[in-house]
Amino acid sequence: MEITGQLLLTVLMGAFLLGVAAFLARVEDWRSYTPLGAGGGAVGESGYGHSEKPAGLIRWFTTVDHKDIGLLYGAYATVAFVVGGLMVMLMRAELTTPETAVLGSATFYNSLLTSHGITMLFLFGTPIIAAFSNYLIPLVIGADDMAFPRINAIAFWLLPPGALLIWAGFFPLPDVIPAQTAWTMYTPLSAGVGNGNQMNVGVDLMLLGLHLTGVSATMGAINFIATIFTERAEEVTWANLDIFSWTILTQSGLILFAFPLLGSALVMLLLDRNFATTFFAVEGGGPILWQHLFWFFGHPEVYILVLPPMGIVSYVLPRFSGRKLFGFKFVVYSTLAIGVLSFGVWAHHMFATGIDPRLRASFMAVSLAIAIPSAVKTFNWITTMWNGKLRLTTPMLFCIGFVSNFIIGGVTGVFLASIPVDLVLHDTYYVVGHFHYIVMGAITFAGMAGIYYWFPLVTGRWYQRRLAKAHFWLWMIGTNVTFFAMVLLGYGGMPRRYATYLPQFATLHQIASLGAFLLLVGGIIWIYNVAVSWIEGPRVQSGDPWRLDETDLNTAEWDWFEAKRETSLAATDGGEDVTADGGQEIEDDTAE
Amino acid sequence: MDENPGVSEEYRMVSPWPLFVALGIPIAEIGILFGLVPLAVGGLLLFCGSIAGILRENEYVSSAWRGLAGVSVFVIAGGLALWYADTATASDLLIRAYSLIGTGVLLLVAGVGGDLFARDAEPGL
Amino acid sequence: MAEIFDRDTLLDLTVNVIPLGIILFFVAAFVLIDPFGGLDFYGRVLQMGLLAFPLVALAILTYVSGKAIAGDEKRSKVFFQGQATIEGSPEKHEVEEAIEAEAAGETDVEDPYGGDADEDESEVDPDADDNDDNDDESDVDADDESDESDESDADEDGEVDADEK
């Protein structure tokens, strides 16, 4: 049996390698193909026209263009968001009853809980940010491409295998079950100790998948740091660097210090599980060591996820307020402050572990200090809108929703930073409500603001306005219904991570599930709107679709869009781009 | 709007290697972690081959064969480290050590052999 | 250095001085009140180290970034965010001077806070209208109007309704 298995694997592997070789031979054979010069980014005009990208799927598999990779990241994040969202809908369905009447088993609920967290944070959150930064940063800072285009591509392609490994337990593989460790993977449970089933290979696969996404994020971060430091156009000095690039730079710095640590901790855990080391065993480093290592990564991870969305909001919100961002430099410096301080607060996730009260007090002090830079940003956004000429477009609505939800999520967080409050609320739904206000209400909202704002830039088409607004309102209401109910559940003492609960919590749980249903409907509308509008939305009629010029708020990426439109109109001679009133547009453009 | 906008449209932005670098890593990781020889060997071959290809494409090495030979040194070193660790610890690492060393030797042979015999396959060098 | 860290820059940096102050407050509180008295030396070192490390790191980063940003402000042109590479975009100080002039002279300012009201450009520099596709300034207005008419099917938000397409 074992021999046959090995043989089968060998044959499959051999066939796969042959296939790869054949594919490479074909691709390499084109020879129309001029490799980039040594060192990547620093390539001048090579005189090749732009019909050079291969057609069809091969283009997407072989591209190293930052815009294509940005789109790949976006598509990937969307798929992950749908998967994670459907997982949580199953969970919310389960939680409509106090027993496990819907899913049938708490084990399956635990698997969904674990996968939902990891999927949303690592497979949706980080990649959707990478989608924006890959597409936009080179355009905004006036770079030709990323500093290391190939590393950029490698970083993306590590993600799909990572996702497959993380979800491996859900596939019908023999003897593989999904991990049930929760996204924090606390030892000793995740080390497979005890009578549970977490020694299963499904957990190893998930850890490997996480490790891959960590490697991917680190490669991306190195790339962004190098790009922002070395590839800026001459005029883009540090004083002229836009806020989104600043947040990405800070985020990349955080990734650079946080993710390798996660990778190391994961390897240690894998060694503990498979090779009988004792890093996290009681007789070795102790289970609490995992929590220290994990949260030393995990808290910066929170800011890795939230800083770039803050950057998007700081970038988009002024465009529809008719004014420049209030206190631009305050926002920049406070971003940097968050970056540094985020490494000094990790044990505030561990106040209830019996940690030495002296150390706990120190962590509380820094946790309270880190609230200031976030609050500064909030006031900057509000002041930007104050007395401005607001245009309530969909991206603007999402930005305002971000600020609103961020205030609730942030204020509930400040209370948690205080030790006495935390000891009461630790491991309750209050915590769940708090961080979902941030990750869903703030981070995802900013992501949606970005998607709608740059939709014309990427697709050259408009989305449907009414559907977009319906999406916003469903999500705004849904988010607050769901997660405020969770905050209240937490006050009532409902513990996290349970598939069952006492009957007195039923009403609030059902309200939360109702809110989640609104989120689902909004999400379906969003997917439909984006997909349909991408294919057949009305074409954008000018290079400045948001009419930013009127308020002098135009930015470099729209300038690029304008140039691209002109080039393509000139090149196709209007052939493809003619719409009903397109003829006039072309005349205008050529007349200019 | 002359200089930078759209520049990246105008030169070739394609490389076949990143996809396979990224596929090679997880396959090799799974193979080595679980001691599955075919996956370990195959994944490493894919990973190292793609690294050699990418180094050649960057012109960091003069031929992919030499890149292959260079990478093989690291694989053999890793295998030897595991071999040493096998005797020093209680864990059974021998099969993994042999996979790494074997793959490394394969790569080295391919690299040296290719560099000696297949030079004609690379016109223009 | 004296020139780089002038009054304006220091004012910008106050935003990071506040968290530094909070940390210092707790340092002082832990030293003076000593709520967990009778510490061993090692515990005290850890407790203070956990406060000192972020404090020092933040101070250093604030200094370095302040120097880079304020230094570049002094050395080269300053634009508003995202506009540096756009041809003909106005510099920050031009816009600010225009607003000040406007505020000093004219009372009939529609939007005193909007550092970007349309009136600014005419006073600053006629070319500053960053309609970057303008090769010919004389038809600035015509362009703007044609832009308007092109978007006649877009509603006031600039977005397009499905029914209207």
Side-chain angles (χ1 to χ4, degrees):
Chain A
M1 178 59 203
E2 203 173 282
I3 300 293
T4 357
Q6 290 270 347
L7 203 63
L8 188 70
L9 260 184
T10 315
V11 171
L12 281 178
M13 196 65 227
F16 175 67
L17 284 180
L18 274 177
V20 169
F23 174 82
L24 283 172
R26 217 189 120 213
V27 174
E28 284 285 87
D29 241 16
W30 289 336
R31 283 302 168 208
S32 61
Y33 142 61
T34 36
L36 303 178
V43 182
E45 316 264 328
S46 61
Y48 281 79
H50 37 76
S51 56
E52 291 263 354
K53 277 182 191 166
L57 270 183
I58 291 185
R59 166 198 174 168
W60 296 103
F61 281 127
T62 57
T63 184
V64 294
D65 180 345
H66 69 93
K67 294 192 294 304
D68 288 348
I69 291 175
L71 289 178
L72 286 171
Y73 268 114
Y76 175 86
T78 307
V79 171
F81 188 61
V82 169
V83 171
L86 292 178
M87 282 173 172
V88 82
M89 285 315 298
L90 289 178
M91 287 159 63
R92 282 316 323 174
E94 166 58 56
L95 290 172
T96 50
T97 61
E99 312 83 34
T100 53
V102 179
L103 295 181
S105 85
T107 326
F108 186 46
Y109 178 90
N110 294 343
S111 316
L112 290 173
L113 176 115
T114 305
S115 260
H116 166 73
I118 289 181
T119 302
M120 287 305 197
L121 291 173
F122 295 95
L123 307 182
F124 164 68
T126 321
I128 193 72
I129 292 166
F132 288 117
S133 47
N134 267 293
Y135 200 100
L136 295 167
I137 288 212
L139 300 180
V140 175
I141 67 173
D144 288 346
D145 200 309
M146 300 290 289
F148 310 114
R150 284 186 200 77
I151 288 187
N152 205 17
I154 296 175
F156 171 75
W157 286 111
L158 281 172
L159 285 176
L164 291 180
L165 289 174
I166 287 171
W167 297 332
F170 291 100
F171 301 141
L173 299 171
D175 301 328
V176 182
I177 63 166
Q180 298 163 42
T181 56
W183 84 281
T184 49
M185 299 167 286
Y186 278 176
T187 52
L189 175 66
S190 62
V193 177
N195 298 324
N197 52 8
Q198 292 305 289
M199 202 53 218
N200 189 272
V201 73
V203 182
D204 292 307
L205 292 177
M206 181 197 75
L207 296 175
L208 276 180
L210 258 183
H211 189 250
L212 284 182
T213 63
V215 174
S216 156
T218 312
M219 293 172 96
I222 293 169
N223 213 341
F224 279 112
I225 292 175
T227 305
I228 294 177
F229 265 88
T230 62
E231 304 282 315
R232 280 173 292 143
E234 207 181 323
E235 311 85 44
V236 187
T237 60
W238 288 120
N240 289 335
L241 194 63
D242 65 286
I243 187 66
F244 182 57
S245 304
W246 270 114
T247 53
I248 289 292
L249 182 64
T250 314
Q251 182 222 25
S252 302
L254 292 181
I255 290 178
L256 198 60
F257 287 103
F259 267 91
L261 190 118
L262 173 74
S264 316
L266 286 172
V267 169
M268 288 156 76
L269 187 55
L270 280 168
L271 291 175
D272 263 16
R273 292 172 57 86
N274 293 287
F275 299 100
T277 53
T278 56
F279 290 112
F280 305 117
V282 177
E283 65 273 23
I288 290 292
L289 174 63
W290 169 263
Q291 294 197 23
H292 278 291
L293 292 177
F294 180 81
W295 285 116
F296 190 82
F297 145 81
H299 199 83
E301 163 74 5
V302 174
Y303 290 100
I304 288 168
L305 287 171
V306 84
L307 282 177
M310 284 173 163
I312 292 178
V313 169
S314 309
Y315 197 82
V316 173
L317 185 132
R319 315 280 150 223
F320 300 107
S321 304
R323 321 174 51 189
K324 307 289 196 274
L325 180 65
F326 177 86
F328 172 72
K329 272 181 276 174
F330 276 11
V331 182
V332 171
Y333 289 125
S334 60
T335 301
L336 295 169
I338 288 178
V340 171
L341 294 180
S342 68
F343 282 101
V345 299
W346 78 87
H348 72 208
H349 298 270
M350 302 164 58
F351 283 161
T353 54
I355 187 173
D356 187 321
R358 300 164 287 185
L359 308 186
R360 206 160 63 176
S362 293
F363 281 111
M364 178 181 80
V366 184
S367 302
L368 292 174
I370 205 174
I372 298 299
S374 306
V376 165
K377 286 159 183 283
T378 311
F379 284 115
N380 276 304
W381 295 321
I382 294 174
T383 322
T384 305
M385 289 190 284
W386 191 272
N387 257 349
K389 292 182 216 151
L390 299 193
R391 282 194 287 155
L392 293 180
T393 60
T394 309
M396 182 64 169
L397 286 175
F398 273 105
C399 286
I400 297 171
F402 172 99
V403 176
S404 155
N405 292 333
F406 182 73
I407 289 172
I408 301 178
V411 169
T412 49
V414 176
F415 288 119
L416 283 177
S418 161
I419 297 166
V421 182
D422 181 83
L423 290 179
V424 177
L425 294 173
H426 184 82
D427 252 346
T428 68
Y429 260 67
Y430 180 88
V431 182
V432 181
H434 150 67
F435 73 73
H436 276 90
Y437 259 108
I438 300 292
V439 291
M440 177 69 196
I443 294 170
T444 313
F445 269 50
M448 292 301 151
I451 288 174
Y452 283 116
Y453 178 64
W454 284 300
F455 190 82
L457 179 94
V458 172
T459 64
R461 293 174 187 270
W462 280 111
Y463 53 85
Q464 297 186 23
R465 189 178 72 104
R466 273 192 205 169
L467 286 181
K469 296 213 163 145
H471 170 207
F472 168 75
W473 285 111
L474 280 168
W475 271 29
M476 190 66 196
I477 296 166
T479 298
N480 280 284
V481 168
T482 309
F483 303 124
F484 206 78
M486 289 187 179
V487 170
L488 295 179
L489 277 170
Y491 285 137
M494 168 79 205
R496 301 167 71 168
R497 299 188 180 117
Y498 280 84
T500 56
Y501 50 84
L502 297 175
Q504 74 242 35
F505 296 121
T507 313
L508 280 171
H509 265 305
Q510 283 156 1
I511 291 174
S513 293
L514 174 76
F517 183 71
L518 296 181
L519 294 175
L520 174 71
V521 175
I524 292 171
I525 292 178
W526 166 63
I527 298 268
Y528 171 83
N529 192 3
V530 167
V532 168
S533 306
W534 198 310
I535 297 164
E536 54 176 39
R539 285 192 186 274
V540 172
Q541 297 293 329
S542 91
D544 181 22
W546 295 111
R547 289 182 282 155
L548 302 173
D549 267 348
E550 288 172 16
T551 42
D552 260 356
L553 289 163
N554 204 358
T555 48
E557 82 274 21
W558 294 107
D559 199 39
W560 165 84
F561 179 60
E562 176 105 48
K564 185 181 130 185
R565 272 176 62 83
E566 276 170 23
T567 331
S568 77
L569 285 176
T572 57
D573 206 17
E576 197 209 349
D577 278 41
V578 174
T579 50
D581 22 337
Q584 191 199 345
E585 165 75 17
I586 289 158
E587 269 173 35
D588 287 345
D589 272 3
T590 40
E592 275 162 16
Chain B
M1 62 224 54
D2 27 70
E3 353 70 341
N4 20 22
V7 159
S8 56
E9 304 269 292
E10 286 168 20
Y11 53 89
R12 175 80 179 208
M13 297 297 292
V14 158
S15 167
W17 303 109
L19 172 63
F20 298 112
V21 174
L23 274 181
I25 295 175
I27 295 174
E29 268 189 350
I30 294 174
I32 294 170
L33 180 69
F34 298 121
L36 301 169
V37 180
L39 289 188
V41 174
L44 278 172
L45 285 178
L46 185 59
F47 176 65
C48 298
S50 306
I51 291 289
I54 222 166
L55 289 176
R56 165 70 191 85
E57 194 179 68
N58 273 328
E59 291 166 8
Y60 286 140
V61 292
S62 57
S63 88
W65 300 117
R66 292 187 185 174
L68 218 50
V71 174
S72 74
V73 175
F74 293 97
V75 179
I76 294 175
L80 289 176
L82 280 185
W83 194 51
Y84 170 76
D86 180 66
T87 53
T89 63
S91 313
D92 177 23
L93 302 171
L94 262 192
I95 188 76
R96 299 169 174 89
Y98 291 152
S99 312
L100 257 72
I101 296 172
T103 314
V105 171
L106 268 180
L107 289 168
L108 189 63
V109 170
V112 173
D115 201 46
L116 290 176
F117 297 109
R119 205 164 263 270
D120 298 345
E122 302 236 304
L125 269 186
Chain C
M1 172 176 159
E3 311 95 58
I4 287 182
F5 287 94
D6 59 13
R7 205 168 136 266
D8 277 351
T9 309
L10 288 178
L11 195 65
D12 290 334
L13 295 179
T14 49
V15 69
N16 282 7
V17 173
I18 297 167
L20 290 176
I22 290 179
I23 296 177
L24 282 177
F25 168 81
F26 278 99
V27 169
F30 292 155
V31 170
L32 295 178
I33 301 173
D34 196 10
F36 313 102
L39 287 185
D40 51 324
F41 177 71
Y42 177 64
R44 179 49 68 91
V45 168
L46 275 185
Q47 183 189 24
M48 288 301 155
L50 285 169
L51 292 168
F53 177 78
L55 182 90
V56 173
L58 179 57
I60 292 174
L61 185 72
T62 305
Y63 171 77
V64 171
S65 58
K67 203 174 160 193
I69 295 173
D72 273 350
E73 273 176 351
K74 307 264 145 58
R75 277 190 292 272
S76 48
K77 293 181 182 172
V78 181
F79 298 93
F80 287 103
Q81 63 162 334
Q83 298 192 336
T85 54
I86 303 180
E87 261 178 71
S89 50
E91 284 181 52
K92 194 174 175 187
H93 70 91
E94 294 173 336
V95 175
E96 278 165 359
E97 280 161 17
I99 295 168
E100 274 162 31
E102 207 165 5
E106 281 283 305
T107 44
D108 152 52
V109 185
E110 270 185 37
D111 177 14
Y113 300 93
D116 40 57
D118 289 340
E119 293 90 342
D120 299 343
E121 297 129 32
S122 55
E123 294 190 32
V124 178
D125 172 9
D127 308 15
D129 184 335
D130 43 287
N131 239 338
D132 34 83
D133 50 343
N134 273 336
D135 296 322
D136 180 2
E137 270 87 34
S138 61
D139 62 2
V140 169
D141 292 339
D143 268 342
D144 281 346
E145 274 158 32
S146 70
D147 267 358
E148 288 291 322
S149 63
D150 287 338
E151 294 196 3
S152 54
D153 61 336
D155 71 346
E156 104 185 273
D157 299 343
E159 296 166 277
V160 171
D161 217 318
D163 326 329
E164 292 169 8
K165 76 175 168 186

